[in-house]
């Protein structure tokens, strides 16, 4: 199972982006979902914002790794590992 977050509808509302990212991370942890797919709007700045959010110290400890999709511009995968 994977969760998906599409940021197209809120691409111009920075605080909403941060809230949506935190909510999807929390949901993945709660449901023990191993993969979250994040689709930023087609703007490099949104993808960079997502990556900066994920790189925060308190967020980084919550997931295993981040992967950028080389075949689909801007798509980011967040992988989780649960014991």
């Amino acid at each position: 199972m994977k969760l998906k977050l599409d940021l197209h509808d809120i691409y111009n509302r920075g605080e909403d982006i941060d809230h949506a990212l935190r909510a999807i991370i929390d949901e993945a942890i709660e449901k023990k979902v191993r993969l979250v797919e994040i689709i930023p709007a087609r703007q490099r700045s949104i993808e960079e914002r997502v990556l900066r959010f994920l790189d925060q110290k308190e967020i980084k400890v919550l997931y295993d790794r981040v992967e950028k999709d080389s075949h689909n511009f801007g798509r980011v995968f967040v992988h989780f590992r649960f014991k």
Side-chain angles (χ1 to χ4, degrees):
M1 179 178 167
K2 78 174 177 180
L3 296 175
K4 186 175 181 178
L5 175 62
D6 188 340
L7 297 174
H8 282 94
D9 292 339
I10 58 172
Y11 74 93
N12 59 348
R13 298 191 311 257
E15 191 172 302
D16 290 345
I17 290 171
D18 290 348
H19 288 298
L21 289 167
R22 184 59 200 229
I24 200 82
I25 297 289
D26 290 343
E27 183 179 354
I29 292 168
E30 179 183 322
K31 295 180 178 178
K32 296 195 184 299
V33 174
R34 295 191 177 272
L35 180 64
V36 171
E37 177 183 355
I38 302 170
I39 303 170
R42 290 219 176 248
Q43 294 179 353
R44 177 63 97 197
S45 61
I46 304 301
E47 179 185 0
E48 290 170 356
R49 183 181 186 107
V50 168
L51 294 173
R52 276 194 313 271
F53 176 88
L54 293 171
D55 200 39
Q56 294 177 82
K57 185 178 180 180
E58 66 273 9
I59 301 298
K60 204 171 191 174
V61 298
L62 301 174
Y63 63 85
D64 182 46
R65 66 186 171 94
V66 171
E67 173 186 10
K68 290 172 52 176
D69 187 348
S70 61
H71 301 291
N72 187 346
F73 172 78
R75 204 161 63 153
V76 176
F77 298 103
V78 182
H79 299 266
F80 294 83
R81 185 179 294 167
F82 301 101
K83 295 178 183 178

